[in-house]
Amino acid sequence: TYCDTAFTYLNGNSEKAIGEAVVARYPRESFTIATKTPMFKPITKEEMYERLHTQLARFGTDHIDYYLLHNIGAQRVQYFEESGAWDFVKEIKEKGYVKHIGFSFHDSAEVLDDILTKHPEAEFVQLQINYVDWLSDNVQSKKNYEVCCKHGKPVVVMEPIKGGALVSLPDEAVEVLKAANPNMSLAEWALRYVESLDNVAVVLSGMSTIDQMKENADNMV
């Protein structure tokens, strides 16, 4: 019931699709919407409000459940600071436009620790986590996860199957997993890995077929 999208996905058509396929057809309390606002350069509060109202209109709703500052990392950290984006999301939460505020993150654990120290108002963090990236020096899944635990922030997991790569493994890896449990699919191994982490609140998995959707739903039961 957690519908994850962003302002820029499919040039806005992703938010429109959720509006038409979900918001217009089901009771508002039966699902949650998570969307994101990007920052490619510093912008004004007026521009941020204009974007928010565009998103609400696309969805056809008066509020968004989870509102994320999108893809914080590298130089974009400063763009969010210079634009007053943190004060903006606190303000729109107080006004009832959004229920929860957080951010998606791609950078080092040191940068994440600094952000959460400066902005304890963030309620959750979306991180790339999977068993390949867990010890990666580049992605730093484990280190970033541990920073969130330190600050008491639940994690929303993205890329648990690494864009589908973990269901297209070398034969040697497949043999190891099948030997351990021949009844588990490669996708299930990947999903259960991130599900096993105590501080994970939601696991996001991209699906392109009904069968994939059913398999993912079964794995989460």
Side-chain angles (χ1 to χ4, degrees), residues 80-93:
F80 286 101
E81 296 287 352
E82 292 175 7
S83 298
W86 290 100
D87 289 335
F88 168 74
V89 292
K90 286 191 292 183
E91 183 176 302
I92 62 176
K93 180 184 175 183

Side-chain angles (χ1 to χ4, degrees), residues 65-211:
D65 302 283
Y66 297 90
Y67 201 68
L68 295 82
L69 302 180
H70 193 181
N71 193 9
I72 293 185
Q75 190 172 0
R76 292 181 302 280
V77 174
Q78 193 59 32
Y79 293 163
F80 286 101
E81 296 287 352
E82 292 175 7
S83 298
W86 290 100
D87 289 335
F88 168 74
V89 292
K90 286 191 292 183
E91 183 176 302
I92 62 176
K93 180 184 175 183
E94 291 170 358
K95 291 182 177 181
Y97 288 115
V98 304
K99 290 187 175 182
H100 304 284
I101 57 175
F103 60 97
S104 61
F105 182 78
H106 294 276
D107 210 320
S108 69
E110 290 76 14
V111 173
L112 179 59
D113 189 46
D114 183 61
I115 292 171
L116 290 176
T117 299
K118 292 178 179 177
H119 298 287
E121 64 270 26
E123 298 174 75
F124 64 98
V125 182
Q126 186 165 314
L127 294 175
Q128 178 173 326
I129 301 179
N130 55 68
Y131 64 73
V132 169
D133 290 327
W134 186 244
L135 298 178
S136 164
D137 291 332
N138 182 36
V139 180
Q140 297 193 11
S141 291
K142 181 177 186 290
K143 291 180 179 179
N144 282 322
Y145 171 81
E146 290 173 343
V147 168
C148 289
C149 293
K150 168 187 168 183
H151 287 271
K153 307 299 181 182
V155 171
V156 173
V157 172
M158 55 181 160
E159 299 292 341
I161 309 180
K162 200 170 173 64
L166 301 186
V167 295
S168 301
L169 298 173
D171 291 340
E172 306 93 294
V174 174
E175 290 174 5
V176 171
L177 296 179
K178 288 299 182 183
N181 189 332
N183 297 318
M184 283 177 60
S185 70
L186 298 180
E188 187 173 358
W189 276 105
L191 291 171
R192 289 194 178 279
Y193 182 85
V194 293
E195 289 171 34
S196 70
L197 300 171
D198 291 336
N199 195 39
V200 166
V202 180
V203 177
L204 306 176
S205 177
M207 295 162 277
S208 56
T209 69
I210 293 295
D211 287 342

